[in-house]
Structures are given as C-alpha cells and as structure tokens.
Amino acid sequence: MSTRPLPPPDWQRPMLDIAEGDGDFLPLGDKHYAFFAEERPLLLVTFEDAESLREREDKLPEHYTLAQARGWSILTILAEGETWWRDPAVFRYFDRLADDGFLEDFDRVVFYGAGPAGYAAAAYSITAPQAELVLIAPRATLDPGLAGWDERHRIARRINFRGRYGYAPDMTESASKVWLIHDPLHQPDAMHAALFQRPWVTPLHARYTGEGTEDTLREMKVLDRILEAAMEGKMSADRFSWLWRGRRSNGSYLRAVLAAARLSGHPKREIKICRSVTSRLNAPRFARRLAELTGEAV
C-alpha cells in the first residue's frame, strides 16, 4: 500500500512558491537546502543558517528582498546547525553546477558571506571563475594544524577541513576580486584575514567592530550598498572608505571607540571623543561621561 509523501514544513512554503516560477528548492542531504530564484543574469550567492531564516517573518533568505528589488538572481545554501556547509551533498551540488556550466551562464556572480558563511562563500567560489567575493570576517579554516589558535566554534572543531573545498583562501584563486572586510584590532579575525593574503584579495578595515562587523555594517545601512557596488563592478577601497565614514553616527561603533579609550587609560582621548560625538548627536551616555571627566554640566 503506497503512502502519500509528507507535506513540506510551513517554513519552506514561501521558498517553494517562488521556486514554482523561475527557481528551485532542493534538499541537499539531511542538513542543507539550496534555494534559487531566477531574474536577470546577475547572481548573488549567499550562505545562511536555516534557523535564522525560520525566525524571519517572511521565511525567506536575508538578501532575497535586495536581490528582488535589484532584479538579481539569488542562490542561497541553507544549513541546519553549525555544519560550515561541509557536507558531501553540498560538494556534489557545487560539482554539478560547475560541470553544467550553470554559474558561467551569468554575466556577473557575487559570493557573499560573513564569519563561517564567509568561509563557505570563499570555499565554493572556486566553482564560478571570475566571480567577485564580499567576505566579512571570513574564517580560513578550522583545521587545528592551521587555526588551532581560534578558540571559537568549539562544536565545529570535529569537522574535517582537509577534504574537498577545504582551505578557503586557496579556493579563491579563480576569483576576479575579493573584498575582505574585518576589524584588524580583533585578533582572531585579523589572523584569519592574514591567511587570505593573495594578490586578488583587498583587505578593508572596519576597526572597533570586533565580532559584530556584519551587524555594524547592517546597522549603518551600507551592507546592501557594498553588495550593489560589487554587483555593478564599482566596488573599490575608496568606495568602502567613503561608506565607512557613516560609522561616525553609528552607536555601536562610537560606544566601542569610547570603551577602547577608557580601557587604555587615556582620559584626554575620551574627552575628545565625547565632545566630538555630543557636538554632532544627541548622545546622553557620551554627555554623562564628558561631565564625569571634566565636571562640565550635562
């Protein structure tokens, strides 16, 4: 007696509805899914945690709205748990894309990822020759022989990073450009960034963002603009510097700068920071600290 297949979970329905048009939604083994929505021959490839997607109201990948608004196609690989997208099923999927020349059919391809997703974006970019990469604080590997100093991601230490698509910096060799954004003052991310040193890799510094580099760029509303610039072939170090100027009005950044000055024991620097901020913004915390340091009334 035949049994009917189980209906898909509710959280998958928005992606399945889109895939019924010009797109696709495929399970890749037990822990990954590939979602593809086709528009113009400009492709954004992203990597995302499925749990984060389920928490989102629209149940769609984070960058789907940007891609739809700009008329880009988007391919998102979803992961259940801290897999780092290192799964034979994901290997086979990208092998198939490469063998079919799927990624080469697009006029431009941009891979994007932050942290572990930055690792995946770099690792799988090898399948799309001449792709442009935007990586935020990417990890190069968790192989203990190369990155045993990184004490984060303890759960993922059991994953084998020595197999196929293993060492992310080497997998960027077919990229046209790699924009690597990180905080050079945050030692673990700076050490990973050093492993990515290649002629085609441009490091872009976002100081005082620590573990929250992507969040800060998102708060500043410049992350989408960086992706747009990469897709348009207009990204540059100068453009990033111009966009990064918005940090002067970002609360997370300013609080981090003030905290660093306080920890370093430089009250004169604290005073200078507080005066600069309070002259431009309504910032009660900075005003109170200025009063503490100078005796000036709030």
Side-chain angles (χ1 to χ4, degrees):
M1 179 173 151
S2 62
T3 58
R4 293 182 179 179
L6 293 173
D10 287 344
W11 68 271
Q12 296 180 7
R13 291 187 182 279
M15 290 181 287
L16 286 165
D17 290 344
I18 292 168
E20 285 180 0
D22 291 319
D24 209 351
F25 182 80
L26 294 171
L28 306 177
D30 297 329
K31 294 185 176 181
H32 299 87
Y33 304 89
F35 167 71
F36 172 64
E38 185 172 15
E39 294 287 345
R40 292 163 54 204
L42 305 171
L43 178 65
L44 177 65
V45 183
T46 65
F47 298 80
E48 193 169 329
D49 178 60
E51 184 60 33
S52 297
L53 180 143
R54 284 192 287 270
E55 293 173 355
R56 201 168 294 120
E57 185 175 351
D58 62 6
K59 303 296 189 289
L60 290 170
E62 178 182 0
H63 299 286
Y64 173 76
T65 300
L66 171 66
Q68 184 184 45
R70 299 295 180 268
W72 306 340
S73 299
I74 185 169
L75 171 63
T76 298
I77 310 300
L78 299 166
E80 294 282 10
E82 198 171 349
T83 69
W84 288 62
W85 295 268
R86 291 202 54 73
D87 185 312
V90 181
F91 300 166
R92 290 192 294 270
Y93 179 73
F94 277 96
D95 287 346
R96 190 161 64 250
L97 295 184
D99 291 343
D100 294 346
F102 173 79
L103 297 171
E104 295 180 25
D105 287 340
F106 292 88
D107 294 341
R108 289 190 65 81
V109 179
V110 172
F111 278 70
Y112 169 72
Y119 163 82
Y124 291 110
S125 70
I126 190 72
T127 61
Q130 296 304 300
E132 195 154 329
L133 279 58
V134 177
L135 309 176
I136 299 180
R139 296 0 176 203
T141 178
L142 286 191
D143 183 344
L146 293 169
W149 39 264
D150 192 343
E151 297 182 353
R152 303 170 295 181
H153 316 296
R154 291 182 178 275
I155 294 174
R157 288 186 180 185
R158 66 182 184 276
I159 298 172
N160 179 6
F161 282 80
R162 296 191 178 187
R164 303 187 61 228
Y165 299 105
Y167 187 52
D170 285 350
M171 297 297 101
T172 67
E173 64 182 11
S174 71
S176 61
K177 295 176 183 175
V178 179
W179 308 102
L180 196 160
I181 306 168
H182 72 289
D183 180 355
L185 306 176
H186 186 58
Q187 188 174 22
D189 288 346
M191 292 173 74
H192 278 288
L195 296 175
F196 275 91
Q197 286 186 1
R198 304 288 190 282
W200 51 89
V201 177
T202 301
L204 302 171
H205 293 165
R207 290 180 173 83
Y208 298 107
T209 55
E211 292 281 348
T213 305
E214 183 185 37
D215 289 339
T216 300
L217 294 174
R218 193 184 287 117
E219 287 174 9
M220 291 169 56
K221 302 187 185 304
V222 301
L223 179 54
D224 286 358
R225 296 171 71 181
I226 290 169
L227 295 175
E228 289 170 356
M231 189 66 79
E232 294 169 1
K234 296 179 180 178
M235 185 60 183
S236 67
D238 286 344
R239 179 169 290 238
F240 177 78
S241 295
W242 181 74
L243 291 170
W244 181 233
R245 290 184 65 186
R247 71 192 184 279
R248 299 175 69 248
S249 300
N250 177 262
S252 297
Y253 170 82
L254 294 172
R255 288 190 294 272
V257 171
L258 185 63
R262 191 167 188 171
L263 285 172
S264 64
H266 287 95
K268 289 183 179 179
R269 176 165 168 73
E270 280 192 82
I271 291 170
K272 184 177 180 181
I273 293 167
C274 290
R275 282 185 170 149
S276 172
V277 173
T278 54
S279 69
R280 296 180 290 108
L281 305 169
N282 178 20
R285 176 183 296 190
F286 290 81
R288 287 194 299 272
R289 183 57 180 160
L290 182 62
E292 291 172 6
L293 291 166
T294 64
E296 296 174 6
V298 177

